[in-house]
Amino acid sequence: MDIEEAMTPDTDTDTVPLPHRTMYQWFEESALRLPDHPALEIRDEVLTYAELRRLALTLAARIVHKHGGLPDRVALAAARSVGAYAGYLAIQRLGAAVVPLNPDYPQQRNLDIAQRAGVTVALVDDRSAGLFGLLPERHRPTVLELGEDERADPELLEGALEETLPPVPADLEREAYILFTSGSTGQPKGVPILHRHLSPYLEHNIPRYEIAPGSRLTQSFGLTFDAHAFDLFATWGGGGTLVVPMAADLYTPVDFTVERKLTHWFSVPSVVREAHRLGNLPLGRCVTLKHSMFGAEPVTAEHAALWREVAPYSQIHNVYGPTELAICCANHRLTGPSSDWPEFTGGTVPIGTMYPDTEGVLLDEDGLPADEGELCVRGPQRFDGYLDPRENTGRFLSYEEGGRATVYDGAAPLTDRHWYRTGDRVRREGGLMVHCGRLDQQVKIRGHRVEIGEVEAVLRRHPAVVDVAVVALPTAEGETELVAAYAGRETDVARFDAWLREQVPLHMVPARIKRLDGLPLNDNGKTDRKALARILGTPEGS
């Protein structure tokens, strides 16, 4: 099977080619064309494109004045405020890279990320105002504080502001943002994304999701999560309105959608599961939604069918892609009644087909193409390598049709011919890709290889289960055992265990199954497996 057979390009929606742009250019084109249209809505506050642009220019001028020049990388320690979004645009207007920091994260983690990224300027909100004061003075960046009610002086002339700034950035080779992902060593890995990586993604998705003036998109993802770039710049690039929920709003997504008349929804599927568990998912009310996108973790057929009842007129998209591939590189679209949807292995919605101009191949353990294996990707959205080049070793490979893959050893420079190893096990079914779990979730139980994702897929079929996660934990004897936690209806553990033994081999049956009111989530709404392991770590807690 060659590469073309292994991955079919995504062609389910016609798109009109758009010009390459930097992130700021995507925003500014809409701001100049639609100055009086709403660009940003937070609580009861609405800013037009002209107002948001003026505020961004004011902040950009302040940065240049206080710092005494143009920075290359700027930390942004702020969230869900006018200042945070204007600050993001101000950084982009200066041609600098945004390094988002989560104000809710431990201070030492944020400082470590800022120092590793080499930021020379930091924009901070009230919660992070004293963050960089923890560093010795010689290591501190230039710090500017953002106020919730900060506004540009309406008397300021934009022309005067522009004169204090460099030309609008147009260099696609510059860094757009740097995100830090969890590393297997326990130290976050820096992922620089250039404007030329992100622009093809926006060019494809703005028309795909029909984003235009009048579109109202939610901003559910934190700025430290890569999908934030879709929320901001697909919205602004298409001339839509970015509608920002507060954290509490994500527990009542239907109410928020109805009250704000959203046309697009994008979140992790855990938001739906948690709202359903809390009884906050009334059916049939989200009639304004045209497109609903879910990603970052597996989307089950059960929850997609549930959302179909919530948003009866919406197309439902399962989107897939790691941070290293500029947000998403594959998509599967569900339309029509859920009764017409085919069933796929594991009960999950397929991740679908690759984006145009993006190549993918499934490689087995011997580095040969297969119908199931590790998904490896290359193309215009693939990043150029980690901030620390040493972390590139083993994460890329060379492969050409008819040969065998060779893992990258770092001895030669990376090129655009190298494939990025996603670490995801993927199966091809009926011309579509189906996610089968992480390769690093494969464990050995009594000598048997076990995919944790496979065990979770079986557990989800139990009628009492709303959500479930399985972790592998060490025993006192030095062995490894599976322990499961589920949210849902209370059920007899012995009967649950007996049911599971009828579904899977004995070595795949968790040693313990515990019911929780809800699975622990991280700030992006994903299941926090480290926290879950701590909860399940002692048999006494079972």
Side-chain angles (χ1 to χ4, degrees), residues 174-189:
R174 291 187 68 86
E175 294 171 345
Y177 56 79
I178 302 175
L179 300 181
F180 283 76
T181 66
S182 297
S184 57
T185 63
Q187 185 179 43
K189 295 186 293 186

Side-chain angles (χ1 to χ4, degrees), residues 25-341:
Q25 287 176 314
W26 282 103
F27 167 78
E28 183 168 75
E29 192 278 336
S30 293
L32 297 178
R33 180 169 53 94
L34 307 163
D36 297 325
H37 283 238
L40 180 65
E41 184 176 308
I42 303 179
R43 295 190 177 96
D44 297 327
E45 193 168 14
V46 180
L47 272 72
T48 66
Y49 274 92
E51 290 169 335
L52 183 56
R53 179 173 181 266
R54 187 181 298 114
L55 181 54
L57 293 176
T58 302
L59 284 171
R62 282 184 57 202
I63 292 171
V64 174
H65 175 74
K66 186 167 184 179
H67 185 60
L70 296 176
D72 288 326
R73 294 171 178 169
V74 179
L76 179 60
R80 302 188 186 279
S81 67
V82 169
Y85 299 105
Y88 200 116
L89 286 168
I91 298 167
Q92 293 296 320
R93 175 61 183 81
L94 296 176
V98 177
V99 182
L101 304 177
N102 190 324
D104 293 326
Y105 280 1
Q107 289 183 323
Q108 192 53 53
R109 177 184 175 89
N110 281 335
L111 288 174
D112 176 61
I113 287 173
Q115 289 183 293
R116 291 182 61 201
V119 303
T120 55
V121 172
L123 303 184
V124 300
D125 64 12
D126 293 343
R127 288 180 294 168
S128 301
L131 175 64
F132 292 96
L134 301 174
L135 295 175
E137 188 171 355
R138 66 181 182 278
H139 295 307
R140 294 175 196 165
T142 302
V143 177
L144 283 82
E145 294 189 27
L146 299 168
E148 285 280 351
D149 58 350
E150 183 170 10
R151 289 291 176 275
D153 185 342
E155 299 300 320
L156 287 174
L157 297 177
E158 290 182 12
L161 286 171
E162 292 280 17
E163 289 178 4
T164 69
L165 300 174
V168 172
D171 185 359
L172 296 172
E173 293 297 323
R174 291 187 68 86
E175 294 171 345
Y177 56 79
I178 302 175
L179 300 181
F180 283 76
T181 66
S182 297
S184 57
T185 63
Q187 185 179 43
K189 295 186 293 186
V191 181
I193 296 295
L194 310 185
H195 292 279
R196 66 171 162 81
H197 299 139
L198 193 67
S199 197
Y201 170 84
L202 295 174
E203 292 162 25
H204 176 63
N205 283 296
I206 290 174
R208 159 187 276 283
Y209 297 122
E210 303 172 288
I211 301 171
S215 296
R216 294 172 61 79
L217 287 80
T218 185
Q219 203 274 298
S220 67
F221 295 98
L223 297 182
T224 57
F225 193 71
D226 62 346
H228 83 269
F230 172 91
D231 292 342
L232 275 62
F233 291 94
T235 299
W236 293 333
T241 304
L242 185 68
V243 184
V244 181
M246 298 297 105
D249 294 321
L250 297 179
Y251 291 99
T252 55
V254 172
D255 289 347
F256 187 77
T257 297
V258 172
E259 291 168 4
R260 301 292 177 150
K261 296 181 173 58
L262 298 180
T263 59
H264 295 67
W265 178 269
F266 188 16
S267 76
V268 292
S270 299
V271 170
V272 178
R273 293 198 292 268
E274 185 66 6
H276 181 50
R277 183 186 70 82
L278 295 171
N280 293 337
L281 208 68
L283 306 181
R285 294 182 59 206
C286 294
V287 295
T288 60
L289 283 181
K290 296 170 60 178
H291 293 275
S292 302
M293 296 84 78
F294 297 98
E297 59 186 11
V299 178
T300 67
E302 175 187 358
H303 287 99
L306 180 61
W307 193 256
R308 159 59 68 240
E309 295 186 65
V310 169
Y313 309 120
S314 175
Q315 297 182 33
I316 299 174
H317 305 264
N318 183 20
V319 298
Y320 163 85
T323 301
E324 290 85 349
L325 294 169
I327 309 174
C328 298
C329 61
N331 179 95
H332 182 65
R333 180 179 59 169
L334 295 170
T335 59
S338 59
S339 58
D340 293 344
W341 300 344

